[in-house]
Amino acid sequence: MSNNEGFFNKVYEVVKLIPSGRVTTYGAIASAIGSPGAGRMVGWAMNKAFSQPCFVPAHRVLNRNGQLTGKHAFPNADTMQELLESEGVEVENDKVKNFENIFWKPERVVD
């Protein structure tokens, strides 16, 4: 397993824990897996999430401002927003409303 694969798998395990109707950030996930400052690499992992054998709710991962910056990785431009809204998350102009209230902080993952 390459280093990227191991990193990506850790990311996917955290993302699978995000409760429906809640969101988190690339940076929060990076910190939770012991790689603070690796938020951009978490984004790369989210771009590859669709290649996983089981569902990874990548739509619940946003940038630090609550914006849907990863929407380009989904099948169409509206998919990320549609998935969030199906869980009761309000989105306006590609930004989650009440971001601070529905933010989910992942626990630190220990190897």
Side-chain angles (χ1 to χ4, degrees):
M1 180 181 308
S2 74
N3 285 343
N4 279 357
E5 259 184 279
F7 180 92
F8 285 16
N9 287 335
K10 287 180 188 178
V11 168
Y12 300 144
E13 291 308 310
V14 173
V15 173
K16 290 176 193 175
L17 298 174
I18 305 168
S20 178
R22 305 286 298 275
V23 296
T24 196
T25 63
Y26 303 109
I29 293 169
S31 292
I33 63 171
S35 297
R40 190 167 296 213
M41 194 155 170
V42 171
W44 293 334
M46 292 297 88
N47 286 337
K48 302 263 187 220
F50 299 105
S51 66
Q52 294 304 297
C54 57
F55 179 66
V56 177
H59 63 284
R60 298 178 187 151
V61 184
L62 314 171
N63 80 357
R64 68 176 185 243
N65 299 315
Q67 295 175 312
L68 280 58
T69 53
K71 71 180 193 171
H72 65 278
F74 288 81
N76 69 57
D78 298 322
T79 301
M80 187 174 187
Q81 180 171 336
E82 289 168 356
L83 288 169
L84 287 167
E85 288 175 340
S86 75
E87 297 178 356
V89 175
E90 294 181 61
V91 179
E92 185 176 290
N93 297 321
D94 289 335
K95 186 172 182 178
V96 168
K97 295 172 79 174
N98 299 315
F99 173 63
E100 297 80 18
N101 295 333
I102 62 169
F103 176 78
W104 178 78
K105 183 176 181 187
E107 297 292 322
R108 168 103 176 167
V109 176
V110 180
D111 292 318

